Amino acid sequence: MRIVVLTGAGISAESGLTTFRDSGGLWEGHDPMQVATPEAYADDPGLVQRFYDARRAALSRVEPNAAHHALVRLEDALGDDLLVVTQNVDDLHERAGSRRVHHIHGRLQSAWCTRCGERHEWYGALADGPACPSCGVADLRPDIVWFGEIPYGMDLVEQALEECDLFVSIGTSGVVYPAAAFVHWARGATLELNLEPSAGATDFAESRQGPATRLVPAWVDELLA
Ligand code: BJW
C-alpha cells in the first residue's frame, strides 16, 4: 500500500514547538504570519533573522515525540511506499529516524545565499550577518518558503499523491496552500488526524480528533495489525 503522509505544526506541538495559529502571541510585537514573508524580510531583515534564529536554537531543546516515532515504524514496514511530506521546518522527523521526508517549506537548518545561490547546512545564528562559505558575501537568508514563494519539490509531491492508495494529513490547519489542496490531488482514500477538525476536514473521507501522540501511534498500530 502506497501512503503519503502530510504533517504540519500540530505533530511537533507536543514536543514543545509552538504552532503558527495556536501561538497566541506576538514575535517582538508582530504576528508570526506577517514575519514569515518576503516583504517583512525586505523591510526588516534583522527582525526576520531573529525570529528564525530563535526557532533554530529551540530545536536543540526539543525531542521527537510518539507521533514522529510511529511514522518511523510505518516506514520500517512499508519502505519506499511511505513518503512523509512535511510543512514543518524542524528536523524532528529525521531525528526520529524517518528517511523519506520531503520539506515543502524548507528547513531551519539550511541557509541560502541570495548572492551565489548556494545552500549550506546551518546550525548557528544568521542575524549577525555571517559570510557565505562559498562566495564570502554576507547575504545568507533562512532557506524557508515564505508566502508568495514556490514550495519545494511540488512535482515529486504531485506524482506521489496521484499514485498513492492513502493520503493522511496530520496536525495541520488546512488553510495554507498548496498543502491545503493535497486532499483533492490524492487519488486514494483520505484520512485526517488533528486535534480539532481542520478548515478542510469535510474534504476527507474520515477525520479523527485528538492529540497526535495518541492518534498517530494508534493509527499505525491499526494499519500494521
Ligand atoms: C494538533 C496538535 C496536536 C495542535 N496534535 N494536532 C488565496 C487563496 C488560496 C491561496 C492563496 C490565496 N492568497 C495567497 C495564497 C497562497 C498562499 C496561501 O496559502 N495563503 C493562505 C494564507 C490563504 N500560499 C503560498 O504563498 C505558498 N506558495 C504558493 O502557493 O506558491 C504557488 C505555487 C504552489 C504550488 C506550485 C507552484 C506554485 C507558500 C506558503 C508558504 C507558507 N510558509 C509558512 C511559513 C514558513 C515556514 C515557517 O516559518 O515555519 O509555513 S506559513 C506557516 O503555515 C508555515 C506552516 O508550514 C504553514 C502551515 O501551518 P500548519 O502546519 O497548518 O500550522 P498551524 O499552526 O496553522 O496549525 C496547527 C494545526 O495543528 C491546527 O489545526 C491545530 O488544531 C493542530 N494541532 N496541536 C494534533 N497536539
Side-chain angles (χ1 to χ4, degrees):
M1 179 191 277
R2 283 167 296 187
I3 301 179
V4 176
V5 167
L6 170 70
T7 62
I11 197 169
S12 298
E14 291 165 87
S15 290
L17 295 178
T18 317
T19 65
F20 263 84
R21 282 152 203 84
D22 304 336
S23 64
L26 300 177
W27 173 259
E28 297 189 11
H30 303 267
D31 175 352
M33 294 300 283
Q34 304 299 321
V35 178
T37 65
E39 292 76 18
Y41 188 62
D43 287 352
D44 189 347
L47 171 86
V48 177
Q49 295 283 22
R50 288 194 298 280
F51 176 65
Y52 285 98
D53 282 354
R55 291 176 60 201
R56 192 179 304 107
L59 289 186
S60 61
R61 301 191 290 268
V62 300
E63 296 294 333
N65 64 47
H68 298 101
H69 288 294
L71 292 179
V72 179
R73 275 199 292 130
L74 189 58
E75 186 175 358
D76 288 344
L78 295 183
D80 288 352
D81 284 342
L82 176 69
L83 176 66
V84 175
V85 177
T86 187
Q87 298 169 90
N88 297 343
V89 295
D90 65 54
D91 62 345
L92 294 181
H93 285 301
E94 287 87 347
R95 278 163 56 197
S98 286
R99 295 172 298 278
R100 297 193 80 223
V101 183
H102 180 65
H103 288 263
I104 61 171
H105 291 166
R107 294 188 302 117
L108 282 167
Q109 290 165 331
S110 175
W112 175 24
C113 178
T114 56
R115 287 299 171 91
C116 72
E118 286 294 311
R119 288 177 161 82
H120 300 278
E121 287 298 297
W122 207 268
Y123 302 100
L126 288 173
D128 49 357
C132 168
S134 298
C135 71
V137 176
D139 234 339
L140 292 166
R141 61 163 267 186
D143 189 6
I144 300 286
V145 177
W146 291 322
F147 285 113
E149 298 183 326
I150 298 179
Y152 294 146
M154 291 313 298
D155 291 350
L156 176 152
V157 175
E158 206 169 332
Q159 187 180 345
L161 287 167
E162 277 167 11
E163 292 171 354
C164 75
D165 301 298
L166 175 61
F167 169 64
V168 184
S169 173
I170 302 171
T172 177
S173 51
V175 297
V176 175
Y177 288 83
F182 289 175
V183 61
H184 301 295
W185 301 358
R187 189 204 61 174
T190 57
L191 169 66
E192 169 175 277
L193 306 175
N194 207 49
L195 195 58
E196 59 197 7
S198 75
T202 54
D203 295 328
F204 288 82
E206 186 184 354
S207 177
R208 300 180 188 173
Q209 277 85 56
T213 54
R214 177 167 60 78
L215 292 190
V216 181
W219 166 66
V220 170
D221 286 347
E222 192 182 299
L223 208 67
L224 299 183

